[in-house]
Protein backbone atom coordinates (compact mmCIF):
# COMPACT_ATOMS: atom_id res chain seq x y z
CA UNK A 1 0.00 0.00 0.00
CA UNK A 2 1.53 3.28 -1.10
CA UNK A 3 0.79 6.69 0.37
CA UNK A 4 1.74 10.25 -0.47
CA UNK A 5 1.55 13.72 1.07
CA UNK A 6 1.97 17.21 -0.35
CA UNK A 7 3.76 19.50 2.12
CA UNK A 8 4.53 23.22 1.73
CA UNK A 9 7.43 24.76 3.66
CA UNK A 10 7.03 28.51 4.17
CA UNK A 11 8.55 31.26 6.29
CA UNK A 12 10.41 34.56 6.25
CA UNK A 13 13.67 34.88 4.25
CA UNK A 14 16.75 33.21 5.70
CA UNK A 15 14.88 31.07 8.24
CA UNK A 16 16.36 27.82 6.88
CA UNK A 17 13.71 26.46 4.50
CA UNK A 18 16.20 25.25 1.90
CA UNK A 19 18.54 23.83 4.56
CA UNK A 20 15.59 21.86 5.96
CA UNK A 21 14.59 20.66 2.48
CA UNK A 22 18.10 19.44 1.71
CA UNK A 23 18.39 17.74 5.12
CA UNK A 24 15.13 15.82 4.63
CA UNK A 25 16.01 14.77 1.06
CA UNK A 26 19.57 13.84 2.03
CA UNK A 27 20.99 15.63 -1.02
CA UNK A 28 21.57 19.24 -1.97
CA UNK A 29 18.82 20.26 -4.37
CA UNK A 30 18.06 23.76 -3.05
CA UNK A 31 20.76 26.41 -2.84
CA UNK A 32 21.62 27.81 0.56
CA UNK A 33 23.01 31.22 1.52
CA UNK A 34 23.22 33.42 4.60
CA UNK A 35 21.71 36.20 2.47
CA UNK A 36 17.90 36.59 2.41
CA UNK A 37 15.69 35.87 -0.61
CA UNK A 38 17.98 33.12 -1.93
CA UNK A 39 15.17 30.90 -3.23
CA UNK A 40 13.22 32.52 -6.09
CA UNK A 41 11.04 29.71 -7.39
CA UNK A 42 9.09 27.00 -5.65
CA UNK A 43 11.33 23.93 -5.52
CA UNK A 44 9.72 20.50 -5.33
CA UNK A 45 11.68 17.88 -3.40
CA UNK A 46 10.69 14.23 -3.10
CA UNK A 47 11.40 12.26 0.09
CA UNK A 48 10.77 8.51 0.32
CA UNK A 49 10.12 6.88 3.71
CA UNK A 50 9.11 3.24 3.29
CA UNK A 51 6.01 3.11 1.09
CA UNK A 52 5.25 6.80 1.66
CA UNK A 53 6.28 9.57 -0.70
CA UNK A 54 6.47 13.09 0.73
CA UNK A 55 6.43 15.90 -1.82
CA UNK A 56 8.00 18.96 -0.19
CA UNK A 57 7.57 22.40 -1.73
CA UNK A 58 10.34 24.78 -0.64
CA UNK A 59 9.05 28.31 -1.24
CA UNK A 60 10.78 31.71 -1.49
CA UNK A 61 11.07 33.73 1.72
CA UNK A 62 7.92 35.77 2.39
CA UNK A 63 8.93 39.44 2.29
CA UNK A 64 7.75 42.90 1.25
CA UNK A 65 8.51 42.99 -2.48
CA UNK A 66 10.41 45.88 -4.06
CA UNK A 67 10.53 44.60 -7.67
CA UNK A 68 8.34 42.59 -10.02
CA UNK A 69 10.58 39.61 -9.26
CA UNK A 70 9.73 40.17 -5.59
CA UNK A 71 6.01 40.27 -6.44
CA UNK A 72 6.39 36.95 -8.26
CA UNK A 73 8.19 35.34 -5.31
CA UNK A 74 5.52 36.45 -2.81
CA UNK A 75 2.71 35.19 -5.08
CA UNK A 76 4.43 31.79 -5.27
CA UNK A 77 4.25 31.56 -1.48
CA UNK A 78 0.60 32.64 -1.31
CA UNK A 79 -0.43 30.05 -3.89
CA UNK A 80 1.67 27.26 -2.34
CA UNK A 81 -0.22 27.12 0.97
CA UNK A 82 -3.49 26.16 -0.73
CA UNK A 83 -4.56 22.66 -1.80
CA UNK A 84 -1.85 20.77 0.12
CA UNK A 85 -2.09 18.12 2.84
CA UNK A 86 -0.09 20.14 5.36
CA UNK A 87 1.85 23.40 5.68
CA UNK A 88 5.04 23.81 7.70
CA UNK A 89 5.51 27.35 9.01
CA UNK A 90 9.22 27.61 9.72
CA UNK A 91 10.22 30.24 12.28
CA UNK A 92 13.30 31.22 14.28
CA UNK A 93 13.39 30.70 18.08
CA UNK A 94 12.30 34.28 18.85
CA UNK A 95 9.42 34.90 21.25
CA UNK A 96 7.68 37.50 19.09
CA UNK A 97 5.75 37.32 15.84
CA UNK A 98 7.11 39.50 13.04
CA UNK A 99 5.03 41.01 10.23
CA UNK A 100 6.06 38.28 7.76
CA UNK A 101 4.98 35.53 10.14
CA UNK A 102 1.73 37.38 10.92
CA UNK A 103 0.93 37.67 7.20
CA UNK A 104 1.65 33.96 6.68
CA UNK A 105 -0.53 33.01 9.66
CA UNK A 106 -3.39 35.04 8.14
CA UNK A 107 -2.85 33.25 4.82
CA UNK A 108 -2.91 29.88 6.60
CA UNK A 109 -6.27 30.80 8.12
CA UNK A 110 -7.63 31.67 4.67
CA UNK A 111 -6.29 28.48 3.05
CA UNK A 112 -7.58 26.22 5.80
CA UNK A 113 -4.84 23.59 5.41
CA UNK A 114 -3.50 21.84 8.53
CA UNK A 115 -0.41 23.70 9.73
CA UNK A 116 2.56 22.61 11.84
CA UNK A 117 4.81 25.18 13.48
CA UNK A 118 8.47 24.21 13.06
CA UNK A 119 10.89 26.17 15.24
CA UNK A 120 14.27 25.97 13.49
CA UNK A 121 17.80 26.80 14.69
CA UNK A 122 17.20 25.39 18.18
CA UNK A 123 20.95 24.67 18.34
CA UNK A 124 21.48 28.43 18.71
CA UNK A 125 19.38 29.05 21.86
CA UNK A 126 18.83 27.78 25.37
CA UNK A 127 16.04 25.19 25.40
CA UNK A 128 14.09 27.13 28.04
CA UNK A 129 13.58 29.92 25.49
CA UNK A 130 11.62 27.54 23.28
CA UNK A 131 8.73 27.45 25.76
CA UNK A 132 8.28 31.22 25.34
CA UNK A 133 8.30 30.88 21.55
CA UNK A 134 5.76 28.06 21.69
CA UNK A 135 3.47 30.08 23.96
CA UNK A 136 3.52 33.14 21.68
CA UNK A 137 2.68 31.18 18.53
CA UNK A 138 0.12 28.92 20.24
CA UNK A 139 -1.80 32.04 21.24
CA UNK A 140 -1.70 33.36 17.65
CA UNK A 141 -2.89 30.29 15.74
CA UNK A 142 -4.29 26.82 16.29
CA UNK A 143 -1.33 24.81 14.97
CA UNK A 144 -1.73 21.03 14.73
CA UNK A 145 1.49 20.66 16.70
CA UNK A 146 4.80 22.44 17.34
CA UNK A 147 8.11 20.73 16.56
CA UNK A 148 11.51 22.22 17.45
CA UNK A 149 14.30 21.24 15.01
CA UNK A 150 17.79 22.07 13.88
CA UNK A 151 17.94 21.66 10.11
CA UNK A 152 21.70 22.14 10.36
CA UNK A 153 22.47 19.24 12.73
CA UNK A 154 19.40 17.07 12.15
CA UNK A 155 17.86 17.37 15.61
CA UNK A 156 14.10 16.81 15.58
CA UNK A 157 13.87 15.78 11.91
CA UNK A 158 12.79 12.19 12.64
CA UNK A 159 10.01 13.53 14.85
CA UNK A 160 8.97 15.91 12.09
CA UNK A 161 8.78 13.13 9.48
CA UNK A 162 6.80 10.93 11.88
CA UNK A 163 4.30 13.77 12.32
CA UNK A 164 4.04 14.37 8.57
CA UNK A 165 3.23 10.70 8.05
CA UNK A 166 -0.15 11.38 9.67
CA UNK A 167 -1.12 13.54 6.67
CA UNK A 168 -0.19 10.98 4.00
CA UNK A 169 -3.12 9.49 2.12
CA UNK A 170 -3.44 6.14 0.41
CA UNK A 171 -2.88 6.23 -3.33
CA UNK A 172 -0.20 6.06 -6.01
CA UNK A 173 3.02 8.02 -5.66
CA UNK A 174 2.97 11.37 -7.44
CA UNK A 175 6.51 11.07 -8.81
CA UNK A 176 8.73 8.15 -9.93
CA UNK A 177 10.39 6.51 -6.94
CA UNK A 178 13.94 7.39 -8.05
CA UNK A 179 13.26 11.14 -8.34
CA UNK A 180 14.43 13.60 -5.67
CA UNK A 181 13.28 16.81 -7.39
CA UNK A 182 11.25 17.97 -10.38
CA UNK A 183 13.89 20.56 -11.27
CA UNK A 184 15.67 19.90 -14.57
CA UNK A 185 19.39 19.22 -14.18
CA UNK A 186 20.30 22.38 -16.07
CA UNK A 187 18.19 24.48 -13.68
CA UNK A 188 19.96 23.00 -10.66
CA UNK A 189 23.32 23.72 -12.32
CA UNK A 190 22.27 27.35 -12.89
CA UNK A 191 21.15 27.64 -9.27
CA UNK A 192 24.46 26.25 -7.99
CA UNK A 193 26.26 28.98 -9.94
CA UNK A 194 23.92 31.57 -8.43
CA UNK A 195 24.61 30.20 -4.95
CA UNK A 196 28.31 30.96 -5.46
CA UNK A 197 27.47 34.49 -6.59
CA UNK A 198 25.59 34.94 -3.32
CA UNK A 199 28.52 33.50 -1.40
CA UNK A 200 31.29 35.51 -3.06
CA UNK A 201 29.67 38.90 -3.70
CA UNK A 202 28.51 41.58 -1.29
CA UNK A 203 25.41 43.68 -0.72
CA UNK A 204 22.86 44.04 -3.52
CA UNK A 205 24.98 42.77 -6.43
CA UNK A 206 24.15 39.03 -6.18
CA UNK A 207 20.41 39.76 -5.85
CA UNK A 208 20.60 41.56 -9.18
CA UNK A 209 22.00 38.52 -10.99
CA UNK A 210 20.31 35.82 -13.02
CA UNK A 211 21.96 32.70 -14.39
CA UNK A 212 21.12 30.99 -17.68
CA UNK A 213 22.56 27.71 -18.93
CA UNK A 214 23.20 28.18 -22.65
CA UNK A 215 24.82 24.80 -23.31
CA UNK A 216 24.39 21.46 -21.53
CA UNK A 217 25.75 18.48 -23.42
CA UNK A 218 27.18 15.11 -22.46
CA UNK A 219 30.12 13.50 -24.27
CA UNK A 220 30.35 9.77 -25.03
CA UNK A 221 32.67 9.35 -22.03
CA UNK A 222 30.13 10.96 -19.66
CA UNK A 223 31.90 14.32 -19.26
CA UNK A 224 29.47 17.25 -19.32
CA UNK A 225 30.16 20.50 -21.19
CA UNK A 226 28.36 23.37 -19.50
CA UNK A 227 28.20 26.98 -20.66
CA UNK A 228 26.58 29.54 -18.39
CA UNK A 229 25.75 33.24 -18.79
CA UNK A 230 25.51 35.41 -15.68
CA UNK A 231 23.31 38.49 -16.15
CA UNK A 232 23.70 41.56 -13.94
CA UNK A 233 22.05 44.97 -13.93
CA UNK A 234 24.98 47.41 -14.27
CA UNK A 235 28.35 47.66 -16.02
CA UNK A 236 29.96 48.38 -12.66
CA UNK A 237 28.49 45.12 -11.32
CA UNK A 238 29.90 43.23 -14.31
CA UNK A 239 33.37 44.45 -13.42
CA UNK A 240 32.99 43.32 -9.82
CA UNK A 241 31.69 39.89 -10.83
CA UNK A 242 34.60 39.36 -13.23
CA UNK A 243 37.13 40.81 -10.77
CA UNK A 244 40.73 41.84 -11.26
CA UNK A 245 42.18 39.84 -14.17
CA UNK A 246 39.10 37.60 -14.00
CA UNK A 247 39.91 36.35 -10.49
CA UNK A 248 36.39 36.62 -9.01
CA UNK A 249 34.69 34.91 -11.96
CA UNK A 250 37.29 32.15 -11.83
CA UNK A 251 36.65 31.63 -8.12
CA UNK A 252 32.87 31.53 -8.63
CA UNK A 253 33.29 29.07 -11.50
CA UNK A 254 35.60 26.74 -9.58
CA UNK A 255 33.31 26.61 -6.52
CA UNK A 256 30.25 26.03 -8.71
CA UNK A 257 31.96 23.34 -10.77
CA UNK A 258 32.84 21.35 -7.63
CA UNK A 259 29.21 21.31 -6.48
CA UNK A 260 27.90 20.57 -9.98
CA UNK A 261 30.29 17.62 -10.30
CA UNK A 262 29.11 16.31 -6.91
CA UNK A 263 25.49 16.62 -8.02
CA UNK A 264 25.98 15.16 -11.51
CA UNK A 265 28.44 12.47 -10.41
CA UNK A 266 30.79 13.14 -13.31
CA UNK A 267 33.48 15.54 -14.52
CA UNK A 268 32.20 18.90 -15.75
CA UNK A 269 33.82 21.51 -18.00
CA UNK A 270 32.24 24.84 -17.06
CA UNK A 271 32.57 28.07 -19.01
CA UNK A 272 31.05 31.32 -17.71
CA UNK A 273 30.27 34.69 -19.28
CA UNK A 274 28.89 37.89 -17.78
CA UNK A 275 26.41 40.18 -19.58
CA UNK A 276 24.53 43.32 -18.54
CA UNK A 277 20.71 43.39 -18.70
CA UNK A 278 19.58 46.60 -17.02
CA UNK A 279 16.65 46.45 -14.57
CA UNK A 280 15.76 42.89 -15.56
CA UNK A 281 14.03 42.31 -12.20
CA UNK A 282 11.34 44.85 -13.20
CA UNK A 283 11.01 43.67 -16.82
CA UNK A 284 8.17 41.23 -17.44
CA UNK A 285 9.85 40.07 -20.66
CA UNK A 286 13.11 39.33 -18.84
CA UNK A 287 11.30 37.60 -15.97
CA UNK A 288 9.48 35.35 -18.44
CA UNK A 289 12.75 34.65 -20.25
CA UNK A 290 14.38 33.54 -16.98
CA UNK A 291 11.43 31.30 -16.11
CA UNK A 292 9.69 33.49 -13.51
CA UNK A 293 6.15 33.19 -14.84
CA UNK A 294 2.97 33.26 -12.81
CA UNK A 295 1.51 30.21 -14.57
CA UNK A 296 4.25 27.86 -13.40
Amino acid sequence: MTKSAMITICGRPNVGKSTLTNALVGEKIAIVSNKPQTTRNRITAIVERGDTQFVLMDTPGFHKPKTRLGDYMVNVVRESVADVDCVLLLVEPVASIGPQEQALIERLGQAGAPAILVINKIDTVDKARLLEVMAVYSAAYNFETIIPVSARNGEGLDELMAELDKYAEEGPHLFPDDMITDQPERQICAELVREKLLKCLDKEIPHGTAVEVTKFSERDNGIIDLEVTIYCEKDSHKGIIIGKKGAMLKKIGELAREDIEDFMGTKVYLQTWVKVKENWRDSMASLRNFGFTQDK
Side-chain angles (χ1 to χ4, degrees), residues 11-60:
R12 71 159 63 217
N14 220 26
V15 77
K17 297 179 296 297
S18 296
T19 302
L20 177 62
T21 300
N22 290 338
L24 293 175
V25 173
E27 273 198 58
K28 182 174 185 174
I29 60 166
I31 67 171
V32 177
S33 166
N34 59 7
K35 295 182 174 69
Q37 297 165 38
T38 300
T39 302
R40 288 173 173 170
N41 265 315
R42 185 174 66 195
I43 295 169
T44 302
I46 299 107
V47 178
E48 304 281 348
R49 291 288 191 278
D51 291 327
T52 304
Q53 185 180 80
F54 299 92
V55 180
L56 308 177
M57 291 183 288
D58 175 18
T59 60

Side-chain angles (χ1 to χ4, degrees), residues 204-236:
E204 179 63 13
I205 293 173
H207 291 300
T209 59
V211 179
E212 181 181 27
V213 173
T214 52
K215 180 182 179 182
F216 185 107
S217 61
E218 187 174 347
R219 302 183 194 177
D220 291 339
N221 60 4
I223 292 174
I224 290 172
D225 290 300
L226 194 62
E227 295 182 6
V228 167
T229 300
I230 298 165
Y231 293 93
C232 59
E233 294 185 310
K234 296 178 181 177
D235 279 317
S236 58

